[in-house]
């Protein structure tokens, strides 16, 4: 299959995690992905990222489906659930293991905090970078462990990381800034990075439409695509919404939940039109960062 997204049927996806109520920022992400696909006669998929057993709750899935309908957004095919695809994530981990690019890490949060105190470490977009304590060491068999990517080896193997963003243009991503990221968690199967990257390839997504808050992670996702020989999509990282205090909307702060607007009798299609036209409802604004 061609690696050029322009040579394939335009396919986008909305990929919410069912760990809370969707807010207007999610609605905007879904609208961007939906409208882009429809404008190009393409496909728009809905993927529920439900592998985080500690935070995902089935009852939020029904809310997501109701929100989509309320906004007037139809998706193609069946709803995709990450929880049904864990075998494919495991196979990819085994492939990376066979390539010598992953290692077991038994460090607890406390171990990592202590190691960071003890020696100066780099800071990446997600905070202090894992100091590599378990890299190259035999770990005791009876301890819970996660799998980390050996970032140095992975980058040597993959070569330069480049990708195209429809707004920001051609990018040379810096995956090294994240250090040895977790690919398989102690408390859940695959990490977001591994699962989302594999799913986007399996579903032949040509344009990944998502918020700017995920921009830096794209270098990691492109790295995994290179290592695993996956399809390489293009990206559109759209603007984020902020509340009256200038803070990014977040489920954790119960920002303007769509379910509350729905229950309050607001017209979802009208709200969707407001978001499209930039006449933003309810005291929110687009960030320019
Ligand atoms: N599940 C992610 C979220 O809810 C979306 C990730 C993506 O679009 O790549 O933020």
């Amino acid at each position: 299959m061609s690696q050029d997204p322009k040579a394939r049927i335009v396919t986008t996806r909305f990929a919410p995690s069912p760990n809370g109520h969707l807010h207007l920022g999610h609605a905007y992400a879904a609208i961007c992905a939906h409208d882009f696909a429809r404008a190009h006669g393409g496909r728009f998929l809905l993927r529920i990222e439900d592998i985080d057993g500690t935070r995902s709750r089935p009852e939020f899935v029904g809310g997501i489906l109701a929100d989509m309908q309320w906004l007037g957004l139809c998706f193609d095919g069946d709803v995709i659930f990450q929880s049904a695809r864990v075998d494919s994530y495991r196979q990819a981990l085994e492939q990376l293991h066979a390539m010598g690019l992953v290692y077991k890490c038994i460090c607890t949060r406390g171990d990592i905090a202590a190691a960071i105190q003890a020696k100066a470490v780099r800071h990446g977009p997600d905070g202090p970078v894992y100091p590599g304590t378990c890299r190259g060491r035999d770990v005791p068999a009876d301890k819970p462990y996660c799998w980390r990517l050996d970032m140095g080896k992975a980058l040597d193997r993959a070569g330069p990381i480049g990708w195209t963003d429809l707004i920001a243009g051609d990018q040379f991503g810096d995956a090294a800034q994240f250090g040895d990221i977790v690919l398989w968690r102690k408390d859940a199967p695959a990490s977001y990075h591994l699962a989302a990257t594999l799913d986007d390839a399996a579903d032949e997504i040509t344009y990944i439409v998502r918020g700017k808050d995920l921009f830096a992670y794209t270098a990691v996702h492109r790295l995994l695509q290179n290592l695993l020989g996956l399809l390489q999509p293009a990206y559109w990282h759209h603007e984020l919404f902020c509340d009256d205090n200038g803070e990014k909307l977040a489920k954790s702060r119960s920002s303007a939940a769509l379910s509350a607007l729905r229950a309050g009798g607001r017209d979802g299609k009208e709200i969707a039109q407001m978001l499209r036209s930039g006449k933003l409802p309810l005291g929110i604004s687009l960030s320019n960062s």
Side-chain angles (χ1 to χ4, degrees), residues 13-19 22 26 29 47-50 82 192 196-197 200 208-211 213-214 217 221 235 237 248 251:
R13 58 25 171 212
F14 175 51
S17 306
N19 55 17
L22 300 189
H26 295 109
R47 181 170 80 223
I48 305 291
E49 301 208 323
D50 61 342
Q82 284 195 325
Y192 157 65
T197 303
D200 287 332
I208 294 185
V209 181
R210 61 186 180 195
D213 50 338
L214 299 170
Y217 290 140
H221 300 175
Y235 292 80
H237 291 96
K248 188 176 86 102
K251 285 176 189 158

